[in-house]
């Protein structure tokens, strides 16, 4: 939805569940001859990856993850752990995925593995009716506009429990580094308030 509405739609859902209203919003974007772009951003542990993946299954469309577009360590600024999105390769994400699809052309998917510090093989990313981009910083203004922006959240206690379960001994890095960086980004750009749709995944209390 280019041009944000006066107020975001606020929906409740369990993790990995696509609310019926969101499904209708996405379906309305699908038109012949163009690729609709849906971006799913949100807080750590809120379930944005699960929602993005569920949308991909529901609509049979590709899902691109911002986690695959980190900058290689050799190209990161010395203070990258202190600046929101300083670890992201927005230029590559735009050049290989977003800009071609916006122009009705095919893109490519070339994931970067930050643990191995290397790139996976390049995969074709054909232009189609719909593409979902999910992950941290996917609503960053440097990536350009989308047809629909979705922000995923849930209560802080719920996120903490999920992250402790998921990350184990790595939870402290999220608490001390990644969460503050993301919250700084959300505040600076008004990410939650500007989203077309906010999905709260705390409905199950877990």
């Amino acid at each position: 939805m280019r041009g944000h509405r006066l107020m975001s739609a606020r929906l409740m859902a369990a993790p990995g569940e696509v609310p019926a209203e969101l499904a209708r919003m996405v379906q309305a974007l699908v038109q012949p001859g163009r690729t609709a772009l849906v971006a799913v951003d949100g807080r750590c542990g809120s379930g944005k990856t699960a929602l993005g993946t569920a949308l991909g299954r529901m609509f049979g469309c590709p899902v691109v993850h911002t986690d695959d577009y980190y900058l290689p360590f050799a190209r990161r600024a010395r203070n990258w752990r202190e600046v929101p999105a300083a670890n992201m390769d927005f230029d590559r994400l735009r050049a290989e995925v977003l800009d071609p699809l916006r122009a009705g052309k095919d893109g490519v998917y070339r994931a970067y593995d930050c643990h191995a510090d290397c790139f996976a093989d390049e995969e074709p990313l054909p232009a189609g009716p719909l593409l979902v981009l999910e992950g941290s910083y996917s609503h960053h203004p440097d990536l350009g506009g989308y047809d629909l922006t979705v922000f995923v959240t849930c209560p802080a206690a719920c996120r903490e429990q999920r992250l402790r379960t998921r990350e184990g001994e790595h939870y402290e890095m999220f608490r001390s580094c990644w969460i503050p960086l993301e919250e700084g980004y959300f505040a600076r750009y008004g990410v939650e308030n500007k989203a077309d749709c906010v999905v709260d995944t705390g409905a199950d209390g877990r």
Side-chain angles (χ1 to χ4, degrees):
M1 293 184 178
R2 303 192 186 279
H4 295 290
R5 293 176 295 180
L6 294 177
M7 182 176 293
S8 302
R10 300 192 70 89
L11 309 171
M12 297 293 295
E17 176 184 88
V18 179
E21 177 60 21
L22 175 58
R24 286 192 289 270
M25 294 166 75
V26 174
Q27 183 62 57
L29 299 173
V30 177
Q31 301 175 14
R34 64 181 297 271
T35 301
L37 300 179
V38 175
V40 181
D41 206 330
R43 293 186 161 88
C44 289
S46 62
K48 55 186 176 290
T49 300
L51 179 59
T53 301
L55 284 168
R57 286 196 303 266
M58 177 177 284
F59 290 94
C61 70
V63 180
V64 171
H65 308 280
T66 59
D67 284 0
D68 291 331
Y69 290 85
Y70 292 138
L71 278 167
F73 289 102
R75 293 179 51 203
R76 298 184 190 183
R78 189 169 299 177
N79 67 336
W80 68 269
R81 291 179 183 268
E82 303 167 15
V83 180
N87 61 330
M88 304 302 300
D89 194 346
F90 288 152
D91 288 342
R92 187 171 72 86
L93 179 52
R94 287 198 64 151
E96 295 180 358
V97 177
L98 299 177
D99 289 349
L101 293 179
R102 286 178 178 129
K105 301 177 182 178
D106 295 341
V108 295
Y109 199 164
R110 187 166 55 102
Y112 171 71
D113 184 340
C114 64
H115 300 290
D117 194 21
C118 67
F119 288 93
D121 292 338
E122 186 175 288
E123 300 178 15
L125 192 63
L130 181 68
L131 177 121
V132 174
L133 174 68
E134 78 78 23
S136 300
Y137 306 112
S138 61
H139 292 189
H140 197 287
D142 285 356
L143 290 175
Y146 302 99
D147 297 279
L148 182 71
T149 54
V150 182
F151 187 87
V152 189
T153 190
C154 65
C158 180
R159 297 197 308 274
E160 179 180 350
Q161 181 179 356
R162 292 176 187 172
L163 286 171
R164 285 187 181 277
T165 300
R166 188 184 81 190
E167 301 298 332
E169 63 183 12
H170 301 294
Y171 169 75
E172 181 57 29
M173 178 60 76
F174 279 79
R175 187 197 66 79
S176 63
C177 181
W178 306 131
I179 292 174
L181 284 173
E182 288 185 359
E183 290 297 330
Y185 149 69
F186 298 148
R188 178 177 180 182
Y189 296 108
V191 176
E192 181 173 1
N193 291 334
K194 291 180 179 178
D196 297 308
C197 178
V198 175
V199 177
D200 187 328
T201 64
D204 63 349
R206 298 194 301 270

